Amino acid sequence: MADLRLSFLGNFQVIRDNEVVPLPPSKKTRALLAYLALNSRAFRREQLCELLWDIPDDPRGSLRWSLSKIRALVDSKNLPRVIADRSQVRLDSSDTLIDVSELHALASSPLESVAVETLEAAVDRYSGHFLEGLELTNFYQYYAWCVAEREQVGQNLAAILRNLIHRFADTPTRALPYARRLVDNSPYDEPARTGLIQLLQSNGRPKEAEQQYRLGMRLLAEIGVEPSGLLYQAWRGAPGEDRTGSSSSTVTIPTDVINQPDIEIPTNTVGHTEAFSQPRAHSHSSVTVQPAASHSTLRGREQETEQIAVAFARVVQQNRAGFVLVRGVAGIGKSRLLQTITELAHDNNALLLQASAFEQELLRPFALWIDALRQYSATTQHDIFDASGVDNRDRLISSLSDQLAVEAGQRPVVLLFDDFQWCDESSAAALNYVSRLCAGLPIFGVLAARDEDIEDNRAALQTLRGLRHDKRLQDIHLGPLPPAALNQLIRDCAPDADAEPLSSASMGNPLLAIELARALCAGTGGGSIDELISERMSQFNPDATEVLRWAAVLSPRINIESLEPVTGLTAEGIDEALVTAQAHSLLTYTDLGFRFCHDLIARSIYNAISPTRLRVMHRRVAELLEQKTAVDLGYAADLAHHASQSGDAGLAARAMVSAGRLCLRFFANTDAQSLARKGQQLATRLPDRERVCLSLDLHDILLCAAPIEDWQSAADTYIALAETALDHDCLAHARLGYQMASYLRWSHGQWASAREESMQAERITRGGTDKEHIIGLAEAARCLALLEKDLGHANALLMEAQALASRKQLNVEAILAAQGMLHYHRNELGAAEEQFKEARTLCKTHGNRFNEFQANEYLAMIAFERQQYPQALARSQAMIDIGQKLREGSEAPFAYAFNHLCHYAIDGDCQPLDSAMEQLRIADAKHRLAYILTRTALLDLQQDQPQAARIHASEALSYAQALERATEMMLANLALALASKAMGDDIEHRRAVAAIASLDAASVASWARSRAHRLLAPQPSG
């Protein structure tokens, strides 16, 4: 007999020598073990790294660590099963018993010849879905394999169940449990549900049969399938058949299909276009809110409570920030321990900020901090995390730290973050930053995390390592509750119960102990959370069960408004189901609405849903979210989560685009990058036309989120994708590709290439829709105006775009920006100002932050050219606010440099400006540096510093000549001419004046030409 057994169905288990081996906490390690065990071949290490790890995770190091943990699980003393060298890895599972392989072997055998007892034992043994909780949807190749294996497991189990139902056709009572299991396994299988309805009728359960009929109709509508009539026939009987009082003991699934035209099919199909309705008022007068029990002392956790109290006292006495990490398995009492700390905070007049992380919200930036501050003060939360300031790491986290510092200066601050294993990256980074910035303040943080999940959260682990390194973190591990405390806990729930057997069965887990006690009171059994929840839900009617299933999918956002469009039930029916679940201690009612009493309850209900049904349910939610117009980062996280779980690569990739753009709107650049990279993984599996369009959208997000290191290769990639999009007649995306390439060329000084690619973008749109053509014309005009090239052509393109836009009643931001640039060039500064103000408003409305910055940039420059320096200074602050939140490009350095330029013009202090210009040189933004240098040189002359003016103007001229910027060349030569004259250098003066004269016919801004002529004109004598 093999000494190693692997169980991948339901609970993941490794059994050696009949002993269950403790598993490593990392989900990726367990997933890797399953993947290697079920794929009996060698894999290159690079393949496995790509399968389960992101680049920032040090994939090779992570793979080595996981393999070391797997060796400890599966290798025997004289039999190494993990076979690995420097390039390849495989797992020798030839002598290993694997439940999935056994199920496949049984299902592929002639089932008619297999004993009934063997089949029944197999159904009991192979319970649970394949690799529950190990879907890892962020890694699409692995996820696709997991989904395929789950489908195969479901098909094999269905074959065994059908065989058993057939064998028990004459004994409906024995067949009924297997029919229920088959329907749960294959919820969209119409014949399977037909058989269940017939069995319910035969067992004298007509009401439940009707409920199954109606549920079956809703599920068929859910996937857009027309009913064949089998369900109706099973419920109502064949024409002329009398169902009243029928109790036939034989089940026969009809072979003819009867269509019933009078059946009303629910309209909430997969392709249904109605989005989640807006919140509307529902009366919850029937809801009885159960107040949480309050205990000043937590039984069995006196030592841990004392440790936390001592740690808190130390923080207050020493005026030094400190943190405690409470770790343990799910249900061990971490959240309950945190509840006792709220009393500690209140008793000490501390400010309490508390929040829980959710697995579904791993992509919502600053979720923990936003939720915690919202409960404390909605005004404070809005001031820090409002739409104009979200996710600028330096400024936002600094603002958060400042707020906490103010509070901690008046009283201790207590942070309680539950389920920290699901903390999003931004919240973890903020915690790390706050802990260091507020190290000398009485801030006490308690973080609760599950052992089995924290190891795979890289951001959370990095923060914890930082706290440990700074000696500010104390670890507390919660083990099993002591027997005496557990016995008393059981007696509190079931006073007449024999506590010791239940205590032994719960193995020190208080949540399981409470559920066992409740089950005893209800007269049911079960030995695990899953069994207990299953038995409790078996008392619900199908509609209530459906509501709870959808609630588990939507958790933590459970409300009638979101449940109505997905369940197809009325608000009253949903409300009744939620109240029933509350009465059965599955749900609780809070200030935020209904919530599951514990995440394990939600997970148990979720895991009991068929994998096929889960994908459909997530797809349904994602499609509804995709249609919402809400501008909210929580929406972005929800959309990305549900789309990832849908199994629809196209929907998931589109969701990553939508969520990524929303993150950019709120300056959540790191999260936008993460979403875009996930989208790129998904897009590789799509048909060419869809793939190229989504790839361009995702590249656009990456371009906006962070600087591109190899910008030349990136520009070539954009052009190649644009050409492919053109081959597929996707003109809007082809234009996008060329515009992205044009922007990259422009930002790195390749003006000729930028012009050509912008013009190619315009040529492409001529064959597209009117809107595409208008945008193409406007963008080309803006590019030419920005480059100060072919301004006549730019004006012609702009006039054509304006005429088309007027006829189509379209308001295009690029038209306004191009108009503003041309007015600015012609010295029509009043008209330019109005155009840029309107463009700025339109950009802000659409969330286009780069163009919003550019509009503010021109508005500031207009004020400066008018010598309205205080107004230019005020406008520079808007540039700073946006620039420092954008990716690390030249926007922020230019905004600061311009701000200091205004200060130089007002108060004559040049030192801060010199430092700011150095940052602009590092950013290598020659066009913006040339602008700052020429204006600095002209201000130097006003300060009687001709030598400084010459130095600044010479540097500006070198950049302007390289970029062929005629306006900046004229201004630089103007400064050189004036400086040389002041220094008595006639040769340099004449050279500069001649250079200005040679530029007089060039494409120089009118205001610059006028200034040069005015300043160089002979001064009247006397």
Side-chain angles (χ1 to χ4, degrees):
M1 181 177 177
D3 67 343
L4 180 65
R5 185 178 189 89
L6 303 178
S7 176
F8 300 142
L9 298 176
N11 291 329
F12 192 115
Q13 285 188 324
V14 176
I15 303 170
R16 277 175 46 183
D17 299 322
N18 296 320
E19 294 275 338
V20 177
V21 181
L23 296 172
S26 169
K27 286 185 176 181
K28 292 180 181 179
T29 300
R30 284 175 268 163
L32 179 62
L33 170 57
Y35 189 80
L36 292 172
L38 294 173
N39 292 278
S40 55
R41 66 180 183 86
F43 292 92
R44 287 183 292 106
R45 285 181 179 264
E46 291 80 3
Q47 289 177 281
L48 298 178
C49 288
E50 292 173 3
L51 186 76
L52 289 169
W53 285 279
D54 288 320
I55 295 299
D57 290 337
D58 180 18
R60 283 190 166 272
S62 298
L63 176 61
R64 286 193 299 272
W65 183 87
S66 289
L67 289 174
S68 70
K69 299 298 180 183
I70 292 174
R71 284 191 180 96
L73 287 176
V74 303
D75 281 2
S76 298
K77 186 175 182 180
N78 299 315
L79 180 61
R81 291 187 173 91
V82 176
I83 314 299
D85 55 30
R86 295 178 64 86
S87 60
Q88 292 189 324
V89 177
R90 72 179 179 90
L91 180 69
D92 182 3
S93 58
S94 57
D95 69 334
T96 304
L97 296 178
I98 305 175
D99 57 355
V100 176
S101 302
E102 292 175 334
L103 175 61
H104 292 345
L106 177 61
S108 61
S109 65
L111 294 177
E112 295 77 10
S113 61
V114 178
V116 169
E117 294 76 15
T118 301
L119 297 181
E120 288 186 300
V123 169
D124 291 338
R125 185 166 64 251
Y126 303 129
S127 61
H129 301 309
F130 177 71
L131 295 184
E132 283 181 5
L134 294 177
E135 296 86 1
L136 304 184
T137 55
N138 287 342
F139 302 94
Y140 192 76
Q141 183 182 346
Y142 166 83
Y143 176 64
W145 168 79
C146 183
V147 167
E149 286 290 330
R150 281 186 177 177
E151 289 178 349
Q152 187 61 53
V153 166
Q155 292 170 11
N156 290 340
L157 185 59
I160 296 172
L161 289 168
R162 288 192 185 95
N163 189 276
L164 285 169
I165 294 168
H166 175 71
R167 294 196 188 193
F168 294 134
D170 295 333
T171 52
T173 303
R174 291 192 67 181
L176 185 57
Y178 299 118
R180 290 187 192 278
R181 179 83 178 271
L182 178 60
V183 167
D184 287 341
N185 182 77
S186 308
Y188 302 111
D189 187 333
E190 193 176 7
R193 194 174 298 274
T194 297
L196 174 59
I197 293 171
Q198 289 182 323
L199 285 167
L200 289 169
Q201 295 281 22
S202 301
N203 280 276
R205 300 183 181 184
K207 185 175 181 180
E208 190 178 348
E210 179 182 356
Q211 291 171 333
Q212 285 292 341
Y213 160 73
R214 298 196 182 282
L215 175 59
M217 293 294 289
R218 286 201 301 272
L219 291 184
L220 289 177
E222 188 173 86
I223 58 173
V225 171
E226 287 289 331
S228 67
L230 283 175
L231 296 176
Y232 185 86
Q233 181 175 314
W235 173 44
R236 288 298 195 190
E241 180 181 345
D242 181 14
R243 278 285 188 186
T244 59
S246 173
S247 60
S248 170
S249 62
T250 303
V251 178
T252 305
I253 297 178
T255 55
D256 57 328
V257 176
I258 301 175
N259 292 309
Q260 298 293 333
D262 58 339
I263 294 177
E264 183 179 350
I265 301 174
T267 58
N268 60 324
T269 61
V270 171
H272 185 44
T273 57
E274 180 186 352
F276 280 122
S277 59
Q278 294 299 314
R280 36 192 187 89
H282 281 292
S283 172
H284 288 283
S285 58
S286 57
V287 177
T288 304
V289 180
Q290 302 291 339
S294 177
H295 302 286
S296 58
T297 302
L298 187 60
R299 289 193 185 91
R301 299 299 186 199
E302 292 82 5
Q303 181 179 347
E304 291 87 349
T305 304
E306 179 65 20
Q307 285 179 280
I308 292 174
V310 169
F312 174 68
R314 186 164 55 247
V315 164
V316 175
Q317 292 165 7
Q318 297 179 0
N319 217 39
R320 182 177 183 272
F323 296 83
V324 172
L325 174 65
V326 180
R327 294 181 63 155
V329 300
I332 204 65
K334 300 181 296 299
S335 300
R336 183 65 188 88
L337 183 60
L338 260 59
Q339 290 176 21
T340 67
I341 302 168
T342 62
E343 300 174 12
L344 181 68
H346 291 146
D347 292 344
N348 289 274
N349 194 32
L351 168 63
L352 178 64
L353 298 177
Q354 57 182 335
S356 293
F358 296 98
E359 187 175 12
Q360 298 91 326
E361 297 188 333
L362 275 167
L363 292 172
R364 181 160 72 101
F366 297 102
L368 277 174
W369 293 99
I370 290 173
D371 292 348
L373 286 173
R374 185 185 291 125
Q375 294 182 50
Y376 161 61
S377 167
T379 302
T380 302
Q381 180 263 319
H382 182 270
D383 289 344
I384 297 175
F385 296 100
D386 65 344
S388 64
V390 172
D391 202 38
N392 165 27
R393 292 303 173 111
D394 294 333
R395 187 165 180 264
L396 186 149
I397 299 179
S398 179
S399 177
L400 174 63
S401 297
D402 291 345
Q403 181 65 40
L404 290 176
V406 169
E407 298 291 348
Q410 302 171 11
R411 52 182 169 166
V413 174
V414 176
L415 305 173
L416 296 186
F417 289 160
D418 200 2
D419 286 325
F420 192 68
Q421 72 276 359
W422 293 322
C423 175
D424 63 276
E425 190 271 339
S426 299
S427 291
L431 179 62
N432 192 29
Y433 191 96
V434 164
S435 71
R436 294 184 177 182
L437 214 61
C438 301
L441 293 169
I443 295 179
F444 182 57
V446 182
L447 318 172
R450 292 185 189 174
D451 285 330
E452 60 267 35
D453 292 296
I454 190 68
E455 295 297 331
D456 287 316
N457 190 327
R458 181 174 55 88
L461 287 177
Q462 187 174 359
T463 294
L464 294 174
R465 280 196 295 268
L467 291 173
R468 288 193 185 96
H469 179 269
D470 296 339
K471 296 182 171 31
R472 290 196 298 273
L473 183 68
Q474 178 180 348
D475 286 274
I476 295 178
H477 190 272
L478 291 188
L481 202 64
L486 204 58
N487 290 343
Q488 187 58 53
L489 184 65
I490 292 168
R491 292 190 189 99
D492 289 342
C493 297
D496 299 329
D498 184 355
E500 291 191 7
L502 295 180
S503 176
S504 176
S506 64
M507 296 178 291
N509 188 300
L511 177 64
L512 181 55
I514 291 171
E515 294 303 323
L516 286 170
R518 284 174 175 164
L520 183 67
C521 293
T524 58
S528 68
I529 291 290
D530 290 342
E531 291 172 347
L532 291 167
I533 301 304
S534 177
E535 289 180 0
R536 201 171 303 168
M537 287 187 62
S538 68
Q539 303 171 45
F540 291 14
N541 65 46
D543 284 351
T545 301
E546 269 295 282
V547 170
L548 277 182
R549 285 170 176 163
W550 279 104
V553 170
L554 292 168
S555 181
R557 290 179 174 79
I558 306 169
N559 55 64
I560 291 177
E561 289 73 29
S562 58
L563 285 166
E564 270 190 273
V566 292
T567 61
L569 299 172
T570 63
E572 292 73 20
I574 295 169
D575 194 41
E576 181 182 351
L578 295 176
V579 173
T580 301
Q582 184 188 17
H584 283 77
S585 300
L586 297 176
L587 294 176
T588 185
Y589 195 75
T590 71
D591 292 341
L592 299 175
F594 281 102
R595 293 289 187 269
F596 281 98
C597 293
H598 195 282
D599 175 68
L600 285 182
I601 295 174
R603 179 54 57 178
S604 177
I605 296 171
Y606 182 91
N607 285 339
I609 303 172
S610 155
T612 302
R613 176 89 197 281
L614 277 176
R615 291 197 299 278
V616 172
M617 295 169 85
H618 282 295
R619 184 169 69 243
R620 173 71 174 138
V621 175
E623 288 175 338
L624 291 170
L625 287 170
E626 200 175 23
Q627 297 159 24
K628 288 190 72 174
T629 57
V631 179
D632 181 79
L633 285 171
Y635 150 76
D638 283 348
L639 175 59
H641 165 71
H642 288 291
S644 296
Q645 299 282 354
S646 72
D648 184 332
L651 173 64
R654 291 197 307 274
M656 298 306 156
V657 171
S658 299
R661 284 179 175 158
L662 195 53
C663 285
L664 287 176
R665 185 186 185 98
F666 288 90
F667 306 105
N669 299 332
T670 302
D671 301 277
Q673 279 182 284
S674 176
L675 288 162
R677 291 194 182 108
K678 290 179 175 67
Q680 286 180 322
Q681 280 190 350
L682 293 160
T684 59
R685 305 197 170 249
L686 299 176
D688 287 348
R689 191 177 194 275
E690 189 176 8
R691 176 187 56 77
V692 71
C693 292
L694 284 168
S695 293
L696 282 163
D697 287 331
L698 294 162
H699 275 294
D700 187 35
I701 292 170
L702 289 172
L703 177 61
C704 294
I708 303 297
E709 291 185 10
D710 189 353
W711 61 270
Q712 290 178 317
S713 295
D716 292 342
T717 298
Y718 302 158
I719 291 171
L721 287 169
E723 288 294 319
T724 306
L726 200 56
D727 291 339
H728 290 284
D729 199 30
C730 302
L731 302 185
H733 282 88
R735 175 186 59 78
L736 174 63
Y738 271 105
Q739 283 182 343
M740 288 160 59
S742 176
Y743 170 80
L744 269 185
R745 307 285 195 205
W746 169 79
S747 62
H748 289 85
Q750 291 191 354
W751 303 93
S753 297
R755 177 192 179 282
E756 177 53 36
E757 280 150 14
S758 181
M759 296 307 300
Q760 175 64 6
E762 185 275 323
R763 286 190 288 270
I764 285 170
T765 59
R766 293 175 190 171
T769 64
D770 288 334
K771 183 177 180 180
E772 290 168 356
H773 191 196
I774 291 166
I775 293 174
L777 289 166
E779 290 289 357
R782 170 159 55 183
C783 179
L784 292 177
L786 191 64
L787 298 174
E788 295 185 352
K789 301 285 186 182
D790 301 334
L791 294 183
H793 190 191
N795 194 54
L797 292 170
L798 186 57
M799 290 177 64
E800 185 179 355
Q802 284 178 285
L804 284 171
S806 178
R807 288 202 298 270
K808 296 298 178 180
Q809 296 184 327
L810 291 175
N811 202 4
V812 179
E813 171 270 325
I815 291 178
L816 297 168
Q819 285 177 323
M821 289 176 190
L822 291 175
H823 283 306
Y824 177 73
H825 194 271
R826 293 194 291 260
N827 203 22
E828 298 164 354
L829 300 185
E833 185 174 38
E834 290 304 311
Q835 296 294 341
F836 281 117
K837 283 181 178 178
E838 192 175 346
R840 179 182 61 186
T841 300
L842 204 57
C843 290
K844 196 173 188 67
T845 302
H846 294 158
N848 190 331
R849 301 307 187 186
F850 276 98
N851 289 343
E852 183 186 351
F853 178 89
Q854 188 181 72
N856 280 300
E857 181 179 15
Y858 270 91
L859 285 169
M861 292 191 302
I862 287 169
F864 193 90
E865 298 310 329
R866 287 172 162 172
Q867 298 185 6
Q868 297 171 347
Y869 300 130
Q871 186 180 41
L873 179 65
R875 288 177 175 176
S876 72
Q877 188 58 51
M879 293 164 57
I880 291 173
D881 289 343
I882 299 173
Q884 64 182 357
K885 301 165 196 168
L886 293 172
R887 56 176 199 166
E888 297 175 3
S890 64
E891 287 77 15
F894 176 75
Y896 281 110
F898 188 90
N899 180 274
H900 292 305
L901 179 70
C902 294
H903 278 294
Y904 185 31
I906 294 169
D907 55 36
D909 184 3
C910 188
Q911 186 173 354
L913 177 57
D914 289 334
S915 300
M917 282 194 290
E918 184 57 35
Q919 293 302 311
L920 203 51
R921 291 185 185 96
I922 293 172
D924 195 29
K926 294 182 177 62
H927 58 293
R928 284 177 165 142
L929 187 55
Y931 175 92
I932 295 292
L933 284 164
T934 54
R935 275 65 177 180
T936 302
L938 292 170
L939 289 174
D940 289 335
L941 292 168
Q942 293 179 23
Q943 298 292 328
D944 293 326
Q945 297 185 44
Q947 181 60 34
R950 175 181 276 189
I951 293 171
H952 288 138
S954 297
E955 185 181 358
L957 182 60
S958 66
Y959 296 140
Q961 288 173 331
L963 299 174
E964 299 179 3
R965 299 283 287 181
T967 297
E968 301 306 328
M969 289 165 64
M970 177 169 280
L971 291 175
N973 278 301
L974 173 61
L976 284 170
L978 295 173
S980 300
K981 184 176 182 180
M983 297 171 67
D985 187 343
D986 291 339
I987 296 175
E988 177 59 24
H989 175 71
R990 286 195 297 272
R991 187 212 61 77
V993 170
I996 292 171
S998 68
L999 289 168
D1000 209 34
S1003 182
V1004 176
S1006 298
W1007 53 265
R1009 182 181 288 109
S1010 298
R1011 177 178 293 188
H1013 291 168
R1014 184 178 71 253
L1015 293 177
L1016 291 176
Q1019 300 297 317
S1021 60

